[in-house]
């Protein structure tokens, strides 16, 4: 074999080896590429699995945080609700009970303002309203039962008191009784009058009628009769400034007017010292009504009491519960308010008394007034007489009397001469001195006065309770 053949064979073998090596390299490369792809896919899958695990972990953390937040919120809400329930039981409901007694006691609201508008807040606010409605309904039922029971008891007591009064008046007509017995009968009559006033006031507040029927009565007799029902009536000074003396109150309104005046005068006597007088004036106004003005010199009324009293006597409250009148109940103003609403009277109270106390004014409208024939039914001698307008009396001229002064004095002639003030002589001084002089007592006149007094009592009490 030649050298060239050997070289060619070697080159062929070398080429074959190179081809095999290239094939092996290519196959190895493909394996490496495939393995890289597999590793990359595995890495991506692992990365995806890691990301998914991280997402799940984050979701778990978020879920746990949400659960913790909800748990904390629920605990906070539960604590707020418990606080509101405690606040409702310890503060709001007791304040509501006081508010139902007096509106001056406020009812607190929710303790946590963030509950306002929520369902729980609405329920918590609705509970006091429901309790208030239930309590008021029950109070009205109980108060109505109490008023019915008291009304029945007062009607029976009134009837017995009127019978007792009739018996006492019958005994008073026995003039042969000794003076001490007569005085005792008068005192018993007065005590019975006071008892009747209290019973009558309670009956009126409870929905009953005054229980006494009158004929047309003089205004002055109505007022003086009202004062005779009171303990301390001697401290009441009644002055009539009526222009005419025959003004009377119609029969259906005479007793209500007397009750109103008696309660106002009793209030004036109660709130002033025992040594102070109570002035009562009768005045006829320009619109035809008659005003009865009661002035006392007491301590007056507080603004709260004045507001409450005005509300009671206005007659605007349809129903006044006994529980609202205090313990023991003060029924005077409540009775006045019911009579004002039933008969159309007008009553006002304020602190403008000229003596520093309280002034009360009872206005009797023209439709409740009438004219009474004084000849057929003369007024009582104990009633205040109507005031007479003063008249100027001229002094009779005499020879020694000086000439009347001219209407206008001449002007002074010198600077040092000043106008002189001249004293005016009273034309009625002599008459006043004569009236002030004590008159001797006449037994016949005194007997006639007492006879008229008994006649007035008999005519005023002849009609008793129709029940």
């Amino acid at each position: 074999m030649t050298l060239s053949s050997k070289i060619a064979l070697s080159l062929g073998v070398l080429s074959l080896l190179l081809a095999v090596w290239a094939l092996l390299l290519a196959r190895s490369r493909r394996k490496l590429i495939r393995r890289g792809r597999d590793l990359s896919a595995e890495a991506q899958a692992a990365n995806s699995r890691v990301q998914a695990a991280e997402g799940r972990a984050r979701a778990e953390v978020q879920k746990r945080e949400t659960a913790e937040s909800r748990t904390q919120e629920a605990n906070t809400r539960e604590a707020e609700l418990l606080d509101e329930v405690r606040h409702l039981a310890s503060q709001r409901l007791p304040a509501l009970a006081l508010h139902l007694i007096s509106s001056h006691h406020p009812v607190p609201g929710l303790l946590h303002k963030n509950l306002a508008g929520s369902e729980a807040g609405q329920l918590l606010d609705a509970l006091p309203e429901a309790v208030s409605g239930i309590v008021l309904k029950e109070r009205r039922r109980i108060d109505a039962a109490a008023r019915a029971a008291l009304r029945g008891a007062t009607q029976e007591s009134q009837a017995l008191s009127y019978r007792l009064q009739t018996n006492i008046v019958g005994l008073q007509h026995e003039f042969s009784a000794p003076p001490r017995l007569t005085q005792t009968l008068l005192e018993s009559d007065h005590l019975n009058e006071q008892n009747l006033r209290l019973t009558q006031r309670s009956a009126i507040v409870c929905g009953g009628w005054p229980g006494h029927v009158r004929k047309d009565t003089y205004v002055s007799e109505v007022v003086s009769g009202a004062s005779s029902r009171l303990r301390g009536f001697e401290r009441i000074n009644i002055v009539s400034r009526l222009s005419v003396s025959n003004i009377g109150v119609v029969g259906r309104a005479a007793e209500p007017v007397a009750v109103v005046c008696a309660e106002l005068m009793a209030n004036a006597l109660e709130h002033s010292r025992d040594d102070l007088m109570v002035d009562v004036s009768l005045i006829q106004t320009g619109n035809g009504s008659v005003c009865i003005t009661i002035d006392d010199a007491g301590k007056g009324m507080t603004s709260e009491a004045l507001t409450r009293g005005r509300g009671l006597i206005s007659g605007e409250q349809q129903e006044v519960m006994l529980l609202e009148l205090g313990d023991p109940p003060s029924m005077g103003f409540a009775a006045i308010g019911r009579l004002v609403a039933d008969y159309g009277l007008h009553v006002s109270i304020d602190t403008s008394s000229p003596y520093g106390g309280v002034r009360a004014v009872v206005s009797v409208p023209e439709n409740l007034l009438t004219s009474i024939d004084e000849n057929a039914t003369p007024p009582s001698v104990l009633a205040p007489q109507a005031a007479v307008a003063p008249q100027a009396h001229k002094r009779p001229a005499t020879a020694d009397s000086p000439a009347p002064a001219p209407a206008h004095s001449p002007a002074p002639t010198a600077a040092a001469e000043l106008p002189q003030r001249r004293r005016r002589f009273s034309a009625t001084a002599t008459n006043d001195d004569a009236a002030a002089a004590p008159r001797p007592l006449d037994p016949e006149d005194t007997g006639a006065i007492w006879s008229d007094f008994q006649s007035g009592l008999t005519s005023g009490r002849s009609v008793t309770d129709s029940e």
Side-chain angles (χ1 to χ4, degrees):
M1 179 176 296
T2 60
L3 180 60
S4 58
S5 300
K6 293 181 179 178
I7 294 171
L9 182 60
S10 300
L11 292 173
V13 171
L14 181 59
S15 298
L16 181 62
L17 292 172
L18 290 174
V20 171
W21 183 72
L23 289 173
L24 292 174
L25 288 177
R27 185 177 180 180
S28 176
R29 182 181 177 186
R30 285 196 296 272
K31 288 182 178 180
L32 290 174
I33 291 173
R34 206 165 33 246
R35 182 58 181 260
R37 290 176 179 175
D38 293 340
L39 291 174
S40 177
E42 291 177 359
Q44 291 180 356
N47 189 22
S48 298
R49 287 193 297 272
V50 170
Q51 291 178 356
E54 291 177 353
R56 286 193 298 272
R58 286 195 298 270
E60 290 294 334
V61 171
Q62 186 176 3
K63 186 184 296 184
R64 186 166 56 252
E65 292 177 351
T66 302
E68 292 176 354
S69 176
R70 289 179 178 177
T71 302
Q72 184 178 2
E73 183 179 355
N75 292 334
T76 303
R77 191 70 172 269
E78 181 182 3
E80 290 180 352
L81 290 177
L82 288 176
D83 290 342
E84 288 293 345
V85 171
R86 294 191 193 96
H87 180 60
L88 179 66
S90 62
Q91 299 293 332
R92 300 183 69 184
L93 292 181
L96 176 64
L98 294 176
H99 180 75
L100 294 177
I101 298 175
S102 176
S103 59
H104 296 284
H105 297 277
V107 180
L110 294 174
L111 187 62
H112 300 280
K113 302 303 181 182
N114 58 330
L115 294 178
S118 63
E119 184 179 0
Q122 293 176 358
L123 291 175
L124 289 171
D125 284 335
L127 182 60
E129 297 179 1
V131 172
S132 175
I134 295 172
V135 171
L136 287 177
K137 183 177 180 180
E138 188 66 16
R139 284 178 60 185
R140 291 190 184 97
R141 186 186 68 82
I142 296 174
D143 196 81
R147 281 188 282 112
L150 185 58
R151 182 169 58 249
T154 53
Q155 288 175 352
E156 295 180 1
S157 178
Q158 273 184 294
L160 293 176
S161 296
Y162 281 125
R163 291 176 59 185
L164 177 60
Q165 190 178 52
T166 303
N167 293 336
I168 294 176
V169 171
L171 291 175
Q172 289 177 5
H173 285 208
E174 297 291 336
F175 294 104
S176 59
R180 297 179 63 180
L181 179 57
T182 303
Q183 181 66 25
T184 302
L185 289 175
L186 292 174
E187 293 175 355
S188 301
D189 188 16
H190 190 223
L191 290 175
N192 190 54
E193 285 278 1
Q194 298 178 49
N195 179 61
L196 266 174
R197 183 182 71 85
L198 299 178
T199 305
Q200 186 182 42
R201 179 181 64 183
S202 302
I204 293 172
V205 172
C206 295
W209 69 300
H212 190 62
V213 179
R214 289 183 179 222
K215 299 178 181 179
D216 296 348
T217 311
Y218 293 100
V219 176
S220 57
E221 289 187 1
V222 170
V223 178
S224 60
S227 65
S228 66
R229 305 177 182 183
L230 307 175
R231 182 172 61 89
F233 65 93
E234 66 278 357
R235 293 167 49 204
I236 298 177
N237 179 33
I238 303 176
V239 178
S240 176
R241 295 187 174 90
L242 300 175
S243 58
V244 291
S245 60
N246 64 340
I247 301 177
V249 183
V250 296
R252 63 184 179 87
E255 185 63 18
V257 172
V259 172
V260 171
C261 293
E263 294 303 325
L264 292 175
M265 287 187 287
N267 186 72
L269 291 173
E270 182 179 356
H271 292 87
S272 58
R273 293 200 316 266
D274 294 341
D275 59 338
L276 297 176
M277 299 294 293
V278 174
D279 287 344
V280 180
S281 300
L282 311 180
I283 305 173
Q284 187 174 13
T285 62
N287 58 8
S289 63
V290 170
C291 289
I292 304 166
T293 305
I294 302 170
D295 291 313
D296 65 70
K299 297 180 180 179
M301 301 175 65
T302 63
S303 58
E304 181 179 358
L306 190 63
T307 302
R308 178 173 175 77
R310 287 172 176 171
L312 288 174
I313 67 173
S314 64
E316 298 176 355
Q317 298 185 12
Q318 299 296 329
E319 181 181 355
V320 179
M321 292 190 289
L322 296 178
L323 298 175
E324 298 175 351
L325 300 179
D327 184 17
S330 301
M331 299 186 180
F333 284 169
I336 293 174
R338 184 170 288 274
L339 294 176
V340 165
D342 291 343
Y343 294 91
L345 304 172
H346 179 74
V347 181
S348 63
I349 54 175
D350 53 38
T351 55
S352 62
S353 170
Y355 312 114
V358 176
R359 163 169 287 186
V361 180
V362 183
S363 179
V364 184
E366 188 177 6
N367 63 315
L368 298 180
L369 299 175
T370 185
S371 297
I372 302 177
D373 186 2
E374 294 181 326
N375 295 325
T377 308
S380 172
V381 295
L382 299 179
Q385 300 299 318
V388 179
Q391 298 180 358
H393 298 280
K394 295 183 178 180
R395 299 176 62 186
T398 60
D400 298 335
S401 300
H408 299 281
S409 300
T413 56
E417 184 179 359
L418 297 177
Q420 300 295 322
R421 176 176 296 175
R422 294 178 175 84
R423 177 174 298 178
R424 296 181 180 178
F425 295 94
S426 175
T428 59
T430 305
N431 297 334
D432 293 341
D433 295 340
R439 296 181 301 172
L441 295 178
D442 188 354
E444 295 182 358
D445 293 343
T446 304
I449 291 174
W450 277 106
S451 178
D452 292 339
F453 174 68
Q454 294 292 344
S455 300
L457 288 177
T458 303
S459 62
R461 298 167 179 169
S462 59
V463 183
T464 57
D465 188 5
S466 62
E467 298 182 358

